[in-house]
Amino acid sequence: GYSAPNWVYNGSPISWLAGDKEYTLKVRGIDNTKAWDGNGTGNTEDPVDVGTNVRTFIVDNTAPLVLITTPTAQAVKTLATITGTANANLAGFGSVELKISTNSGTRFWTNGSTWSAVETWLSSLSTTTLVKDGETGWHYTVPAGMLVQNTTYTAVARVVDYATNTATVYSTRTFVYDPVLPTVNITLPAQDER
């Protein structure tokens, strides 16, 4: 329908192709002028102004992918960062969310300072320690004092793309924090035994 100076497409519903696709929409106006004899069509606009009568947009119905890339070891003696990658195809990687819990899953790390019984997802949109690194990477700076010796932790990551699709498959890493050197004692033979 048209109501000067705006218009709305009221045609049949559009069936978008499956998967992430980029589309270009072009619109043109035709006025009511006629030739001198009253015949013909009006003046027709040539759609060439990107952002005005030409728009490119993405229809994205695909969930993004996420992967925790570090830590890789099952036991770590130091851990300064947890890192990962994201693939959000055409729509782009909007944000990352990270849940860190003790292995029992009963304690969750909150935004920077405490453990809680309430399941907590940290978000790159609301904390400075979880950071989106461009369009394909992210990292979380592990705060000093967060990890306790000989404790098992589970980190779970998910990403959200700009079309608000959330990863349906999360990435999970479980690791033990153990910064203490092992000790070994020799029992036999006794010292200076002959």
Side-chain angles (χ1 to χ4, degrees), residues 55-71:
R55 295 271 171 104
T56 301
F57 62 96
I58 296 167
V59 173
D60 176 0
N61 52 21
T62 303
L65 303 174
V66 63
L67 178 66
I68 297 174
T69 55
T70 61

Side-chain angles (χ1 to χ4, degrees), residues 119-135:
E119 181 180 37
T120 304
W121 285 92
L122 306 174
S123 172
S124 61
L125 298 176
S126 60
T127 180
T128 58
T129 53
L130 182 57
V131 177
K132 177 184 153 190
D133 299 322
E135 286 303 313

Side-chain angles (χ1 to χ4, degrees), residues 1-8 10:
Y2 174 76
S3 175
N6 300 312
W7 63 271
V8 176
N10 286 329

Side-chain angles (χ1 to χ4, degrees), residues 28-74:
R28 64 182 180 188
I30 302 173
D31 65 21
N32 288 325
T33 60
K34 303 287 183 193
W36 63 271
D37 62 359
N39 292 317
T41 60
N43 296 313
T44 302
E45 175 185 22
D46 185 16
V48 295
D49 294 329
V50 174
T52 302
N53 56 13
V54 177
R55 295 271 171 104
T56 301
F57 62 96
I58 296 167
V59 173
D60 176 0
N61 52 21
T62 303
L65 303 174
V66 63
L67 178 66
I68 297 174
T69 55
T70 61
T72 56
Q74 292 180 353

Side-chain angles (χ1 to χ4, degrees), residues 102-170:
T102 57
N103 196 42
S104 61
T106 58
R107 306 293 289 167
F108 300 90
W109 186 248
T110 62
N111 195 4
S113 62
T114 61
W115 290 95
S116 169
V118 177
E119 181 180 37
T120 304
W121 285 92
L122 306 174
S123 172
S124 61
L125 298 176
S126 60
T127 180
T128 58
T129 53
L130 182 57
V131 177
K132 177 184 153 190
D133 299 322
E135 286 303 313
T136 59
W138 57 270
H139 75 274
Y140 176 71
T141 303
V142 177
M146 179 183 125
L147 302 176
V148 176
Q149 174 185 335
N150 292 329
T151 302
T152 301
Y153 297 93
T154 299
V156 180
R158 64 186 181 193
V159 293
V160 180
D161 67 18
Y162 286 120
T164 68
N165 297 309
T166 301
T168 54
V169 177
Y170 300 168

